[in-house]
Amino acid sequence: MKKVFRFIGMIFKGIWKLINFTRLAIVNLFFFAVIAMVYFAFTQSDAPPAVEKKATALVMNLSGPIVEQSTYVNPMDSFTGSLFGQELPKENVVFDIVDTIRHASQDDKVTGLVLSLREMPETSLTKLRYIAKAINEFKATGKPVYAYGAFYNQSQYYLASYADKVYLAPDGAVLIRGYSAYSMYFKTLLEKLDVTTHVFRVGTYKSAVEPFLRDDMSADAKANATRWVTQLWDAYVDDVAANREIEPSVLTPSMDDFLASLKNVDGDLAALSKELGLVDELVTKPQVNEA
């Protein structure tokens, strides 16, 4: 009987050793995987990607927000995200974009620049101007710059206007809406929630606390916002008009003028964009690839 119990004990002991070995092996593999990811994260090169030896064009296809500094991603979050199929946030550092364009401008194997910006979200004019400066430097080397899009939002079109040729899909449009500023006001909400606020304010244009005190924008705050928004919009219009060699009024039509122009082309926004000089040609993506 003792031998039977001893035999059963040896079986359970062997099973326990197997479980313990498996557990340690998994932990060690996970540990070494984390070490490897940390190593590659800190040793990867910051140099622009190598370009093939044959003559080619640099395609600038930006997907995700343009930021001044990338968000820190914990290596553990990166590993677990990859393990469970979760995509990490896509960001484009403005300095990396500019550095890549400048590097390509000096590379003899790069014969041109293609701006494919359909997934680039709206961004600030300051960042756009920084990228545009690099595009101008690229053009100064004598290499052509082309832009293609099914639709152009305001930020996309600003960069596209620096291209030598701007192409638009026959069913596309250039969507320019201007700049605006607005805030949420919740004075009445606070009153209904019986919330009392204590605010100390000095100065006419100290409007940061207005949401707690009002349900709308004060005249002073509106005048102040109008001033800086107008300056920003004027800078945008001046840059684009100069790039496209069109009158600034083309970008700032009255509603009546816009509707009249749209009626003349039977409501075709793509045709209107070409007629106004915003784009050069209406072509499909296959036609662009063949060009």
Side-chain angles (χ1 to χ4, degrees):
M1 195 67 177
K2 290 182 179 180
K3 292 182 178 180
V4 173
F5 284 118
R6 186 179 302 169
F7 178 72
I8 295 174
M10 291 177 62
I11 292 176
F12 279 104
K13 188 175 181 181
I15 293 174
W16 173 251
K17 287 183 177 180
L18 178 61
I19 293 174
N20 194 44
F21 171 80
T22 304
R23 178 179 61 84
L24 290 175
I26 293 174
V27 171
N28 288 337
L29 287 173
F30 182 78
F31 175 75
F32 286 120
V34 171
I35 295 258
M37 293 191 66
V38 172
Y39 172 79
F40 286 116
F42 285 97
T43 58
Q44 62 182 358
S45 174
D46 293 330
V51 181
E52 295 181 6
K53 292 184 178 181
K54 62 180 182 179
T56 185
L58 171 64
V59 179
M60 192 167 77
N61 185 3
L62 303 178
S63 175
I66 298 176
V67 298
E68 294 183 3
Q69 184 175 2
S70 59
T71 304
Y72 171 76
V73 178
N74 190 301
M76 185 64 70
D77 294 337
S78 176
F79 175 76
T80 55
S82 301
L83 189 64
F84 294 103
Q86 298 176 352
E87 291 188 6
L88 296 175
K90 297 179 180 178
E91 294 179 335
N92 301 286
V93 180
V94 63
F95 177 80
D96 292 341
I97 298 171
V98 171
D99 192 48
T100 300
I101 296 174
R102 287 175 174 168
H103 179 79
S105 68
Q106 303 301 322
D107 194 325
D108 295 334
K109 295 181 290 294
V110 177
T111 59
L113 173 63
V114 179
L115 305 178
S116 180
L117 309 170
R118 62 180 181 176
E119 296 189 20
M120 188 189 86
E122 297 281 6
T123 191
S124 69
L125 186 60
T126 303
K127 295 173 186 174
L128 292 174
R129 278 183 156 179
Y130 188 38
I131 298 173
K133 182 180 178 181
I135 295 175
N136 274 337
E137 292 173 359
F138 186 95
K139 290 170 62 177
T141 63
K143 300 177 182 180
V145 178
Y146 303 99
Y148 175 80
F151 288 88
Y152 291 103
N153 65 29
Q154 190 163 291
S155 294
Q156 292 168 359
Y157 185 71
Y158 181 86
L159 292 182
S161 71
Y162 283 84
D164 297 295
K165 291 285 186 179
V166 180
Y167 299 106
L168 176 67
D171 58 348
V174 178
L175 307 175
I176 300 177
R177 54 184 178 80
Y179 291 108
S180 61
Y182 58 89
S183 299
M184 292 186 64
Y185 295 85
F186 32 83
K187 174 189 174 184
T188 301
L189 173 64
L190 295 178
E191 290 176 351
K192 290 182 177 180
L193 295 175
D194 197 22
V195 175
T196 302
T197 58
H198 300 276
V199 176
F200 299 89
R201 181 176 66 169
V202 177
T204 304
Y205 298 107
K206 301 299 182 180
S207 58
V209 295
E210 283 191 356
F212 300 95
L213 307 175
R214 302 175 58 93
D215 286 322
D216 58 358
M217 186 179 289
S218 68
D220 292 330
K222 186 177 295 185
N224 187 41
T226 301
R227 188 178 298 112
W228 69 261
V229 168
T230 300
Q231 291 176 350
L232 195 64
W233 176 237
D234 288 344
Y236 180 98
V237 170
D238 290 344
D239 289 349
V240 172
N243 293 338
R244 295 298 302 167
E245 297 181 353
I246 57 178
E247 292 296 325
S249 58
V250 172
L251 299 169
T252 57
S254 65
M255 183 54 68
D256 291 337
D257 291 340
F258 174 76
L259 293 176
S261 300
L262 189 61
K263 185 177 180 180
N264 291 335
V265 293
D266 298 324
D268 190 334
L269 289 172
L272 179 60
S273 298
K274 183 179 179 181
E275 184 177 288
L276 295 176
L278 300 181
V279 301
D280 296 296
E281 293 184 39
L282 303 180
V283 294
T284 62
K285 187 65 177 295
Q287 289 174 327
V288 173
N289 292 337
E290 292 175 0

